């Protein structure tokens, strides 16, 4: 007998209790339209019914767009039946999006009106896609495969999905693509139970009607699950932030009680608060900038400097840091509304277990993914033989039974904005330069990437000779303006969007080093770079790269 741990129940329960409470609001010039919980529930059912009538049961449906009422209603409709949603990053290049659509075996695409021009590219490159739903756009009169959101649900009555069409708890409902070690994203398969249990085991207590402003990208697990699904389970009213450029302004307009943010956003606002010169008490300054209602900011996606938790406390705002990753739906541990300790990421959720193997954090429980889509080989690499998920993070359990993160064992670098970066493809590209013997990308919990560059001594000295550069020592040569400019040009020429890298993968600053790496020091017995060792050995050089931060 299935235990009914499915996403549909979260919304159904709230819609039954609070049918006339506002579920979603958004800002349109000077107006704020809204949809009530009963309307959202009906639209969700309409989407589910329309997809079933069009033969999508058991299929994958891709979604490309930023946060909108139509996006979230469509997502809820897709996962209310035996269909899998595949949310994709709208900032990716069109051909990369086509690759993900194909690799996920998606047969329909829900797409934002601003991106509808991409449909021609998808049609050309994704032959399996047979339906396009433009989220609140106009249908194409020449092409019956392209319909608007309103047109798609126009013939539906909003009745609940039939019992035999509802998903089971262990059915995959969402595939979220996350960074891959070879540059190819991995499709994280999350089940109904994964997401339902994540939502129900993150313990917070807010009254129905609590105001939240969603400022993060909705295709990220953190935003999708902890903003939208958790918010709906509480009967909260979620406002949509229309642009990061308008975030602080919209916070002042909406006056939310709760925000979910990544550390980069928290630091930006924290610096803005600290820069305000006023004789007013600090809590009053915060109210003028961010409205009088803001009580809590939940931080995730990357490590937050504990100093900002203390800073916001001075302004009367509690910052609660959690820990997780897409593979864990995404929450592993969380600091709740009480007992928040700066420097820790809170206690493990009740449905999860944690252990530490050689300092590495491993977890087990109903939040852990089913695996990577069509990549059992990669799934095996992160799952131990006794069923524990290998996070790749180093940490310990404090005397208060809270996880404290100490660093990364795996290669993935997580920037302050929450972006995941795989350094190996960048390092391989940099090594193409005749002036670079080895490159090591750094930037964990920073705003941007940097690199430690082991210079090719003979090539550099030859370059100096060819260009008449005088120097007293090799170290002085590396520090010279001519050589610094040479490396800056080499790095920027190799790693940029034209060579296939994203903007946040560019190397902003670098430090040149002269000592070759040694086995047992910087290298493992397998000749692999031990990044956590480099962070200790080259602490001074790394600090110089990020000293302005």
């Amino acid at each position: 007998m299935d235990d009914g741990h499915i996403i549909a129940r979260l919304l159904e329960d709230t819609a039954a209790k609070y049918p006339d409470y506002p579920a979603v609001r958004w800002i349109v010039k000077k107006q704020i339209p809204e949809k009530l919980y009963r309307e959202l529930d009906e639209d969700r059912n309409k989407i589910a019914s329309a997809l079933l009538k069009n033969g999508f049961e058991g299929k994958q449906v891709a979604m490309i767009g930023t946060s909108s009422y139509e996006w979230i209603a469509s997502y809820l409709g897709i996962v209310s039946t035996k269909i899998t949603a595949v949310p994709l990053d709208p900032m990716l290049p069109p051909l990369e999006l086509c690759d993900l659509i194909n690799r996920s075996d998606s047969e329909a695409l829900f797409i934002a009106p601003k991106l509808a021009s991409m449909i021609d590219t998808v049609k050309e490159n994704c032959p399996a896609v047979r339906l396009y739903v433009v989220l609140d756009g106009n249908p194409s009169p020449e092409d019956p495969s392209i319909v608007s959101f309103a047109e798609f649900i126009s013939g539906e009555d909003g009745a609940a999905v039939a019992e035999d069409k509802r998903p089971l708890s262990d059915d995959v409902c969402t595939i979220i693509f996350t960074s891959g070690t070879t540059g190819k994203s991995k499709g994280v398969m999350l089940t109904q139970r994964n997401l339902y249990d994540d939502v129900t085991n993150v313990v917070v207590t807010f009254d129905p009607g609590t105001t939240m402003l969603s400022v993060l990208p909705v295709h990220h697990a953190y935003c999708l699950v902890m903003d939208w699904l958790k918010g709906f389970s509480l009967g909260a009213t979620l406002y949509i932030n229309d642009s990061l450029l308008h975030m602080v302004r919209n916070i002042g307009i909406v006056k939310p009680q709760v925000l979910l943010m990544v550390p980069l956003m928290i630091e930006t606002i924290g610096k803005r608060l600290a820069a305000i010169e006023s004789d007013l008490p600090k809590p009053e300054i915060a109210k003028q900038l961010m409205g009088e209602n803001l009580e809590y900011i939940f931080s995730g996606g990357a490590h937050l400097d504990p100093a900002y938790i203390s800073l916001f406390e001075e302004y009367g705002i509690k910052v609660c840091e959690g820990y997780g990753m897409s593979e864990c739906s995404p929450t592993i541990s969380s600091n709740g509304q009480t007992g928040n300790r700066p420097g820790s990421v809170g206690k493990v959720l009740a449905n999860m277990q944690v252990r530490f193997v050689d300092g590495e954090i491993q977890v087990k429980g109903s939040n852990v993914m089913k695996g990577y889509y069509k990549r059992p080989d990669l799934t095996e690499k992160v799952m131990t033989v006794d069923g524990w998920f290998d996070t790749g993070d180093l940490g310990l359990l404090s005397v208060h039974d809270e996880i404290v993160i100490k660093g990364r064992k795996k290669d993935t670098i997580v920037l302050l904005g929450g972006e995941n970066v795989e350094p190996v493809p960048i390092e391989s590209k940099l090594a193409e330069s005749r002036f670079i013997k080895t490159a090591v990308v750094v930037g964990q919990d920073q705003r941007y990437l940097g690199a430690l560059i082991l210079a090719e001594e003979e090539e550099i000295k030859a370059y100096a000779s060819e260009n008449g550069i005088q120097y007293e020592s090799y170290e002085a040569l590396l520090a010279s303006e001519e050589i610094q400019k040479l490396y800056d040009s080499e790095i920027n020429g190799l790693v940029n969007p034209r060579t296939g890298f994203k903007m946040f993968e560019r190397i902003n600053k670098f430090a040149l080093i002269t000592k070759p790496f040694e086995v047992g020091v910087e290298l493992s017995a397998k000749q692999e770079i031990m990044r956590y060792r480099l962070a200790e050995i080259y602490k001074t050089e790394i600090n110089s790269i990020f000293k302005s931060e």
Side-chain angles (χ1 to χ4, degrees), residues 426-487:
I426 302 172
E427 291 162 352
S428 298
K429 190 67 179 177
L430 291 173
E432 293 178 9
S433 169
R434 67 186 180 97
F435 301 110
I436 297 176
K437 188 178 186 67
T438 307
V440 179
V441 176
V442 294
Q444 180 66 33
D445 301 321
Q446 301 292 344
R447 289 173 176 263
Y448 54 80
L449 293 179
L452 295 172
I453 303 292
L454 179 60
E456 274 285 11
E457 185 172 350
E458 291 185 8
E459 292 287 353
I460 285 297
K461 288 179 176 178
Y463 178 85
S465 176
E466 292 165 6
N467 290 275
I469 301 172
Q470 303 296 316
Y471 57 95
E472 295 181 358
S473 66
Y474 178 52
E475 287 73 16
L477 174 61
L478 291 182
S480 68
E481 183 179 353
E482 294 93 337
I483 298 303
Q484 290 289 314
K485 284 183 177 179
L486 168 66
Y487 276 100

Side-chain angles (χ1 to χ4, degrees), residues 131 236-237 320 470 501:
L131 172 69
T237 298
C320 305
Q470 303 296 316
F501 293 92

Side-chain angles (χ1 to χ4, degrees), residues 178-179 301 325-327 412-415 418-422 502 504-505:
T178 189
S179 299
M325 52 193 59
S326 298
E327 287 88 342
T412 308
I413 294 169
V414 184
L415 295 174
E419 302 94 340
N420 283 5
V421 179
E422 294 302 332
K502 301 178 179 70
F504 62 77
E505 293 176 320

